[in-house]
Amino acid sequence: MAAEVPPDAVGRRVSCGTDYGTVRYVGSVSTTAGTWLGVEWDDPQRGKHDGSYEGTQYFKCRHPKGGSFIRPNKANFGVDFLSAVKDRYGLNDKQEVQYGTGNTVVFGTKAVEFVGMDSVAEQQRQLNKLVDISVRECAVSHAGQEEEISRTCANMRHINLSKNLISSWETVTTIASQVQNLETLNVSENKMRFPSTSTFISSAFSNLKILALNQTQITWTEVLLCAQGWPVLEELYLSSNNITVLERPDNVLQTLKLLDLSDNQLLDGNQLHLIAQLPRLEQLILRNTGISFIHFPDAGFGCKTKMFPSLKRLAINDNKISQWSSINELDKLPSLRALQCNNNPFMDTEKNPETLIQLIIAKISQLEVLNNCEILPAERRGAELDYRKIFGKDWLEAGGHWNPEKNKPSEEFLAAHPRYLALCLKYGAPEEGELKGRQPLTLKNQLLTLTIKCPEKPEQKPVEKKLPESMTIQKVKGLLYRLFKIPGSELKLSYESPKLEGKEVELDNDLKPLQFYSIESGDCVLVRW
């Protein structure tokens, strides 16, 4: 008996084994008997042609080898939502009830006390307990009978519908409209059709806070149309959708706190200006979006931009940013606290990874986390002091001066180092002896001349040592153990500097090098135990 083909088969999503595709044609093919389905496969490797056979074009494909014909009995058109839920949670009719020992009934693998109710009512109670439901890869294609979901699964709040056979946003709306308190919805990896014009705004998503639409082929225009029905949405995930152009979201997405646009090749960095007025946006994920620059033209050197007023966390890793000027621009963001920026060409301009991190920290004043690593106060202080020294000669040559009244570096210098004057105000202008410039990293340049003192043993004379600035605190302790015959694990180290006005800085991380703490020649290391 031939498999029945749904009347709305064209445009429907189907699976065949582990492969997914979209039906583009239903009918006869050439002189062969019977009905065929023309399918455009998600994976072009599964296909054989572009939808043509023996010179006749039956359907079109994006890829020249993305299509093929299959018999209807090979295609899975999917099941309704509730059938998938029952099957996933062991509550379907085939394995609905097994009688256990005593007064128990077993539903799937869960034993429930039997109190005389029939199996259907007991199944109903089990389904009503479900709050967090995942039917990922369960071939869900439609909602099922009207209001059946609301009658059966009244307490659902979180639904994972990813990688199913959903063909349209309308199907998602039909399912969601039956879930009164839906808060989280994941419909990623469903290639769907979305509304192209303003339609009736459903209340189905009135409580929705988190929505994932990764790999659904949605455009930004379609996002804004659908967003009219997402009045309290806080997190929106849109990765891998071929979104290239953004538009200003007027009166929608105003409650959004997180937006993920990763793996969409945006036209350019200026696209970000179009979403820069989202008032509550705290986290923006732009990984692998192809952007090559970031610029906030409304703010000058040392000023804060009015764009992205609430943005705390920004991910721009795996992009094409080649100029340090884009990192300078990030200091204009008033609320930025965390940055991910690995795998960008600008990072190749500095060979020493420690120096690279220091430069980024020094350029962005409020940063607290860089590439998922917390920036400790001592690390920030060291980075800023080093930045002030490294570019001190450039500052002088550009018109900088120790006398504040004569300190007028050029516009070019300020454009390259917009925080330099602020660092001079914070720590004082660099003294001539500090201007080390960009010296080659020879051993001589890396050696520190330090005085070692034991405050608790005044009879012990101070010792002067030359130590590499790359030497870890752990190795310093080992050296001091040999010097003072004290177990290294019991040592507590700190240092004093003439520039710290009597303050001590603890050397409290055994794995960090001396340069991490910005120790300089002439400083004094204090040893206690």
Side-chain angles (χ1 to χ4, degrees):
M1 181 177 170
E4 188 175 337
V5 178
D8 61 346
V10 174
R12 287 273 297 267
R13 299 282 291 161
V14 292
S15 63
C16 182
T18 59
D19 294 302
Y20 288 73
T22 304
V23 177
R24 300 297 185 200
Y25 172 79
V26 178
S28 59
V29 176
S30 189
T31 57
T32 59
T35 300
W36 292 89
L37 301 180
V39 179
E40 181 179 10
W41 301 102
D42 294 357
D43 179 6
Q45 302 297 319
R46 171 66 173 81
K48 296 179 179 178
H49 49 68
D50 63 353
S52 60
Y53 181 73
E54 292 186 348
T56 302
Q57 187 89 42
Y58 292 91
F59 62 97
K60 291 182 179 180
C61 290
R62 296 181 185 179
H63 193 278
K65 294 277 187 182
S68 69
F69 293 104
I70 61 172
R71 291 295 189 183
N73 62 353
K74 298 287 186 184
N76 179 8
F77 280 92
V79 298
D80 67 87
F81 176 77
L82 208 52
S83 295
V85 171
K86 290 177 180 178
D87 191 51
R88 170 58 62 90
Y89 293 94
L91 295 168
N92 59 21
D93 295 336
K94 295 174 185 173
Q95 57 189 69
E96 184 181 313
V97 177
Q98 305 161 23
Y99 288 94
T101 56
N103 293 325
T104 62
V105 178
V106 179
F107 292 91
T109 57
K110 187 172 182 178
V112 178
E113 187 179 355
F114 181 64
V115 289
M117 301 294 285
D118 62 30
S119 61
V120 173
E122 187 57 52
Q123 184 194 79
Q124 175 69 58
R125 278 206 295 275
Q126 291 298 99
L127 287 169
N128 267 329
K129 289 179 183 177
L130 295 173
V131 174
D132 193 334
I133 285 180
S134 175
V135 284
R136 176 177 168 81
E137 287 191 88
C138 288
V140 176
S141 63
H142 55 287
Q145 293 181 16
E146 192 174 346
E147 300 305 320
E148 188 180 14
I149 297 171
S150 57
R151 285 196 303 269
T152 312
C153 300
N155 293 306
M156 285 189 296
R157 289 178 181 269
H158 313 284
I159 302 176
N160 183 350
L161 267 167
S162 60
K163 204 169 184 180
N164 278 289
L165 300 175
I166 296 170
S167 304
S168 73
W169 182 247
E170 185 181 357
T171 299
V172 177
T173 304
T174 304
I175 294 171
S177 64
Q178 300 181 56
V179 184
Q180 189 174 1
N181 296 308
L182 184 62
E183 293 178 13
T184 307
L185 178 62
N186 184 353
V187 286
S188 300
E189 298 174 81
N190 287 286
K191 293 192 175 181
M192 288 184 277
R193 297 183 302 277
F194 291 89
S196 56
T197 56
S198 274
T199 54
F200 168 72
I201 300 172
S202 168
S203 61
F205 307 103
S206 57
N207 295 308
L208 191 67
K209 292 182 178 176
I210 301 172
L211 175 60
L213 289 166
N214 305 320
Q215 297 181 53
T216 55
Q217 297 189 330
I218 193 169
T219 66
W220 186 252
T221 302
E222 291 165 347
V223 167
L224 298 185
L225 283 170
C226 293
Q228 297 173 52
W230 309 334
V232 297
L233 193 68
E234 294 181 357
E235 298 183 16
L236 179 58
Y237 298 86
L238 295 170
S239 73
S240 305
N241 278 311
N242 298 319
I243 294 171
T244 56
V245 178
L246 302 178
E247 300 169 48
R248 201 178 302 279
D250 294 324
N251 303 317
V252 293
L253 303 179
Q254 300 300 297
T255 56
L256 205 61
K257 293 181 179 179
L258 181 152
L259 177 60
D260 182 0
L261 288 168
S262 57
D263 297 306
N264 292 289
Q265 296 303 299
L266 296 178
L267 189 64
D268 56 43
N270 288 332
Q271 294 298 311
L272 303 183
H273 298 169
L274 297 168
I275 56 170
Q277 302 307 325
L278 290 172
R280 299 186 190 177
L281 190 66
E282 294 179 2
Q283 184 169 358
L284 181 58
I285 305 170
L286 298 170
R287 180 181 54 79
N288 189 31
T289 50
I291 56 174
S292 58
F293 67 90
I294 294 173
H295 180 46
F296 303 115
D298 67 320
F301 306 137
C303 301
K304 298 298 182 185
T305 177
K306 292 181 180 177
M307 299 185 185
F308 297 107
S310 303
L311 191 65
K312 295 179 182 177
R313 297 179 291 281
L314 175 64
I316 52 171
N317 33 325
D318 303 309
N319 277 298
K320 300 174 182 177
I321 297 170
S322 59
Q323 301 296 321
W324 279 96
S325 56
S326 290
I327 303 304
N328 292 337
E329 288 291 306
L330 297 180
D331 189 52
K332 295 179 180 179
L333 291 168
S335 304
L336 188 65
R337 297 294 182 270
L339 175 68
Q340 291 182 34
C341 60
N342 280 327
N343 300 325
N344 276 286
F346 80 87
M347 301 186 77
D348 299 333
T349 61
E350 178 53 60
K351 298 292 184 264
N352 186 328
E354 285 286 334
T355 305
L356 178 72
I357 289 167
Q358 284 189 316
L359 290 175
I360 298 170
I361 292 170
K363 282 177 175 290
I364 307 175
S365 59
Q366 294 164 220
L367 208 60
E368 296 172 357
V369 179
L370 176 59
N371 295 327
N372 297 321
C373 294
E374 184 183 359
I375 300 168
L376 300 172
E379 188 174 11
R380 169 161 293 285
R381 179 183 170 279
E384 292 179 343
L385 282 171
D386 265 9
Y387 190 92
R388 177 175 141 278
K389 296 174 204 168
I390 288 170
F391 297 102
K393 286 186 177 178
D394 295 345
W395 166 69
L396 283 174
E397 290 169 5
H401 200 278
W402 288 283
N403 183 339
E405 293 179 7
K406 297 179 181 179
N407 184 18
K408 296 177 182 177
S410 66
E411 286 287 309
E412 288 78 11
F413 179 84
L414 290 175
H417 308 284
R419 284 205 71 218
Y420 198 86
L421 294 184
L423 294 178
C424 287
L425 286 172
K426 185 174 182 180
Y427 300 106
E431 297 172 14
E432 195 163 0
E434 293 182 279
L435 302 181
K436 58 185 182 181
R438 292 271 199 171
Q439 296 173 324
L441 292 175
T442 62
L443 185 59
K444 184 180 177 183
N445 288 329
Q446 295 181 66
L447 285 177
L448 300 171
T449 303
L450 302 173
T451 303
I452 314 291
K453 284 184 183 178
C454 300
E456 295 171 358
K457 284 183 79 175
E459 69 275 12
Q460 177 79 49
K461 290 184 179 180
V463 179
E464 192 173 274
K465 283 284 178 186
K466 289 185 183 292
L467 302 178
E469 62 180 13
S470 59
M471 194 175 199
T472 63
I473 303 304
Q474 192 170 33
K475 288 182 179 177
V476 173
K477 285 182 176 179
L479 176 76
L480 296 176
Y481 159 68
R482 292 191 293 275
L483 197 65
F484 297 117
K485 302 295 186 281
I486 306 160
S489 59
E490 296 177 12
L491 291 179
K492 292 182 180 177
L493 304 185
S494 59
Y495 83 94
E496 291 178 330
S497 170
K499 294 172 187 168
L500 292 177
E501 300 175 357
K503 293 181 183 175
E504 280 186 41
V505 177
E506 285 188 31
L507 307 177
D508 53 2
N509 189 331
D510 284 357
L511 302 179
K512 293 291 185 183
L514 288 167
Q515 64 189 13
F516 173 79
Y517 293 98
S518 281
I519 299 181
E520 300 174 359
S521 288
D523 289 347
C524 181
V525 175
L526 304 174
V527 184
R528 296 183 176 87
W529 56 90

